[in-house]
Amino acid sequence: MAIGTRTGPPPLDVAALRAAPEPTRSRYPDSEGFVERDGVRVLYEVYGEGEPTIVLLATWVLAPARVWKAQIHYLARHFRVIAIDPRGNGRSDRPAGGGAYSRFEYAKDTVAVMDATGTDRAITVSLSAGTLWNLYLAAYQPERVQAAVFVGPLFGVCEPMPGWALAQFHQRREHYEGWERYNRHYIEQDFAGFCEWWMRMCVSEKPHSERMVEEGLAWGLQTTPEIVLDTIGGGREAAASDDQGAWQRIADLFYAGGAEAMKALAEKVHCPALVIEGENDLIQPPHWARALAEATGGELVMIEGAGHLPNGREPVAFNLALREFAERQRPVRTRDPVARRTDGRPRALFVSSPIGLGHAQRDVAIARQLRALKPDLQIDWLAQHPVTRVLEAEGETIHPASAQLASESGHFESESAEHDLHCFQAMRRMDELLIANFMVFHDVVSESRYDLWIGDEAWELDYFLHENPGEKRAPYAWLTDFVGVLPMPDDDERARWLAADFNEQMVEHWEAHALRDRAIFVGNAEDIIDERLGPWLPTIREWTESHFDFSGYISGFDQALFADRDALRAQLGYAPEEKVCIVSVGGSGVGESLIRRITDSFDAAKRLVPELRMIAVCGPRIDPNSFAARDGLEVRGYVHNLYRDLAACDLAVVQGGLTTAMELTSNRRPFIYFPLEHHFEQRFHVAHRLDRYRAGRRMEYSHSPPEAIAEAIAQEIGREVEYRPVETDGAANAARRIAELL
């Protein structure tokens, strides 16, 4: 489908990475603390409860404990988990001198953390160089190590790599230059360049890995070139060669006896062991993983297509392998014999996006139509706040595991500024939440049978299914009301490239697997913006028309119910002489700045429109008590079925979200909308659709002080509109296509 030549990623903005705040975590520690040894403080975090305890060991100094971010939420739902920031990075101290970073110090730090947290025994999990202190612990502190897991192990065994393995290793490396950078001069002179190069080598097996490169560089910049050189001691002068000799020398430095001593140490390990390796690891030869598994008598899991960080780039396969191993280390538990039984009815699991409330309203409408077609269908919902507010009010069945989902709405709120949300960057930075929530989904469908999966913009479900097609075990329907991310006018070259790269991965996912048994676009082909997915990619409309069915818009309600608007107003308590203005900013807290700006306009608007009654609806995530109500202005929290008030109003002033704007369009009410700054969906996709329906008056928050908003209210309130009619059969169309999968 490509129509041009793909280019490589533009340079990273190192200063911006240094200044960026830490993204929202999927789970925060239940407790944390420091241990202190010889004046050096080392941070640890504790998550979850139960046995066994899994200790995620410190790795090489270029990464803090956040390197395990894709594991913690999942593992902590099943085990007690301890994560450790290595001395030299994160919130741990940064001592000077090579002696402070020996394998013995890291091992002693681990024991001190276990003592401080009351952990007698644990499963220890190491990554890369952490192999060295994990081996030491398992061999010389066997009473503390219940089992040991080695990931991408640094294990410089004495025998040479077999010829076939060496040739394969070199063949993969030949496309990646820069091994000469592993030397003292380069580390000292361009430390950021070294960190970026290192991370690119760690994830070189997979395209579309820029998010990991950015985060890996940011982690590396938390330490210093001096500390990195201290960790490799005499190896600081050595340049890497074309064979495994450079790494062999570094491994020898950690073990005075060299590779023979390392192998002998591994043979002292008698606890259960698991070695996890990516078959395309360009940092440690996969042959070393095989040798370590053989020396420890352990199991070997080779993850197909993975590189040096399978825990980060292939987190689903990694998490499942680690959990399965850990489950075998605890006492056998009796499973409830009825846990997997069903009543024989067909069952669907509906995953509805929590970014706003519009998905919930249309999804409930689809569910009603599905039940009309399949009366015995049981629908469970995997959803989170604020969507659960709608589902609860509609009497839908929310799966208990929904309580374990990480908050995506909270993440978007944390990424927003004053009426500004760079939606695409926020999406990229919630990768940790997406893997956490996919693993919740995976647990649900592993423990209970479902005949159908439905995802309405459930990004975690769609992304990780395409990354792990073997995990698909039921028919799968996907819905969305937009396709393709778009760069903003003020985006730099890199941001524009990242948008195209994101879209390219979506295209590649579909072409490689086509896992969506039904892909439904909520709208019509004319609603699709006439832009390209990227300079080297097809147009959005061309690609969408080739890969989606079109349901028409799904309003979530029957427009005919509001034909008698006077009766509806009377039912809602709106007097005939009142000019009712509804202010709504959606289901997240992102719109708080806008709602404050609009309520600040009330006094001026009231002078222009004496009959004005303004009702500001904060939704479920903004505190209505933080606003001062006064005569003619009332502030409400969550309002169920707000579309009834929107159908009855004389004017609405809203954010740029699709659902609210299309509800107003359906009911032919005048409205003013303010798209969020840097929100590609609202500013391009939604605006294009509203233009097609000839609906709404667009205003810009940055150019609209309260006085300008008041004037616009006076001009628009009660105005007769001439919108294009909105179809009424969208939910039925979507349900009919989905029901074919049952």
Side-chain angles (χ1 to χ4, degrees), residues 557-576 578 580 582 613 615 636 640-650 663-664 666-669:
F557 59 85
D558 184 355
Q559 298 171 19
L561 295 175
F562 309 133
D564 189 343
R565 187 162 159 268
D566 291 338
L568 177 62
R569 284 174 66 93
Q571 184 182 16
L572 294 171
Y574 300 151
E578 289 179 329
V580 178
I582 302 293
R613 177 182 176 186
I615 300 170
R636 301 178 183 177
H640 187 57
N641 291 343
L642 180 63
Y643 56 79
R644 299 172 72 244
D645 297 82
L646 295 175
C649 73
D650 297 286
E663 287 172 356
L664 290 159
S666 297
N667 287 304
R668 307 185 70 77
R669 307 315 306 143

Side-chain angles (χ1 to χ4, degrees), residues 647-668:
C649 73
D650 297 286
L651 175 70
V653 186
V654 299
Q655 205 184 85
L658 178 65
T659 300
T660 303
M662 288 300 292
E663 287 172 356
L664 290 159
T665 304
S666 297
N667 287 304
R668 307 185 70 77

Side-chain angles (χ1 to χ4, degrees), residues 160-335:
M161 189 185 300
W164 65 268
L166 184 62
Q168 186 181 70
F169 189 55
H170 283 311
Q171 186 176 22
R172 288 197 299 267
R173 270 191 177 176
E174 68 182 7
H175 299 294
Y176 298 92
E177 53 187 37
W179 278 93
E180 70 280 358
R181 300 181 187 191
Y182 199 85
N183 65 77
R184 177 172 189 160
H185 175 77
Y186 189 75
I187 292 172
E188 290 180 333
Q189 297 301 313
D190 186 3
F191 186 58
F194 170 77
C195 292
E196 179 183 349
W197 165 78
W198 178 261
M199 197 63 187
R200 289 195 184 282
M201 293 302 300
C202 287
V203 296
S204 59
E205 82 285 359
K206 285 270 192 176
H208 315 297
S209 298
E210 285 300 299
R211 172 65 187 144
M212 285 193 67
V213 172
E214 292 169 5
E215 196 155 43
L217 172 55
W219 289 340
L221 294 175
Q222 293 182 39
T223 190
T224 67
E226 293 76 21
I227 289 175
V228 170
L229 292 170
D230 281 340
T231 65
I232 58 178
R236 68 181 64 176
E237 302 290 356
S241 61
D242 289 334
D243 58 21
Q244 67 191 97
W247 281 123
Q248 183 71 67
R249 289 193 295 276
I250 293 165
D252 289 350
L253 289 166
F254 277 102
Y255 285 93
E260 287 287 355
M262 187 181 295
K263 183 178 180 181
L265 186 70
E267 291 172 345
K268 293 180 182 293
V269 174
H270 300 299
C271 65
L274 171 67
V275 180
I276 304 178
E277 174 66 295
E279 65 174 9
N280 292 330
D281 190 343
L282 296 187
I283 300 294
Q284 320 290 13
H287 166 66
W288 287 1
R290 297 186 182 92
L292 179 57
E294 182 178 346
T296 59
E299 306 169 44
L300 175 64
V301 172
M302 279 284 186
I303 297 183
E304 182 180 357
H308 188 57
L309 297 178
N311 60 308
R313 198 59 184 85
E314 297 289 346
V316 174
F318 180 90
N319 289 351
L320 295 177
L322 180 53
R323 181 186 172 189
E324 193 276 334
F325 177 75
E327 290 282 3
R328 286 188 273 121
Q329 311 312 316
R330 61 179 164 193
V332 176
R333 296 180 297 175
T334 302
R335 191 178 188 89

Side-chain angles (χ1 to χ4, degrees), residues 328-455:
R328 286 188 273 121
Q329 311 312 316
R330 61 179 164 193
V332 176
R333 296 180 297 175
T334 302
R335 191 178 188 89
D336 181 353
V338 302
R340 292 174 180 262
R341 293 182 184 175
T342 67
D343 58 8
R345 298 165 57 196
R347 304 174 73 215
L349 184 64
F350 212 134
V351 185
S352 185
S353 171
I355 309 302
L357 292 176
H359 304 89
Q361 200 65 59
R362 75 184 181 208
D363 293 344
V364 168
I366 293 170
R368 291 196 196 103
Q369 294 292 331
L370 278 171
R371 293 189 183 103
L373 295 169
K374 302 284 184 180
D376 59 343
L377 177 64
Q378 175 184 337
I379 299 177
D380 293 341
W381 297 80
L382 191 63
Q384 56 186 278
H385 193 268
V387 167
T388 48
R389 289 292 298 271
V390 176
L391 300 178
E392 289 164 354
E394 294 290 338
E396 295 288 342
T397 301
I398 301 172
H399 195 287
S402 297
Q404 299 172 344
L405 295 169
S407 175
E408 296 174 26
S409 288
H411 166 75
F412 271 79
E413 290 162 12
S414 73
E415 294 275 332
S416 65
E418 184 176 356
H419 201 67
D420 191 354
L421 172 65
H422 203 303
C423 182
F424 173 50
Q425 292 300 334
M427 290 171 62
R428 295 184 69 238
R429 285 163 57 84
M430 74 174 185
D431 53 323
E432 176 180 349
L433 282 71
L434 294 181
I435 179 57
N437 291 343
F438 179 81
M439 298 310 299
V440 173
F441 167 85
H442 190 278
D443 279 358
V444 168
V445 297
S446 296
E447 294 169 3
S448 298
R449 176 189 60 81
Y450 284 95
D451 303 288
L452 174 64
W453 301 342
I454 308 171

Side-chain angles (χ1 to χ4, degrees), residues 462-476:
D462 198 65
Y463 177 82
F464 285 107
L465 279 181
H466 280 90
E467 288 283 288
N468 301 271
E471 296 301 327
K472 180 176 181 285
R473 61 194 72 176
Y476 167 46

Side-chain angles (χ1 to χ4, degrees), residues 133-143 145 264-271:
W133 32 102
N134 201 2
L135 282 173
Y136 182 82
L137 286 168
Y140 292 112
Q141 301 267 345
E143 71 283 0
V145 180
L265 186 70
E267 291 172 345
K268 293 180 182 293
V269 174
H270 300 299
C271 65

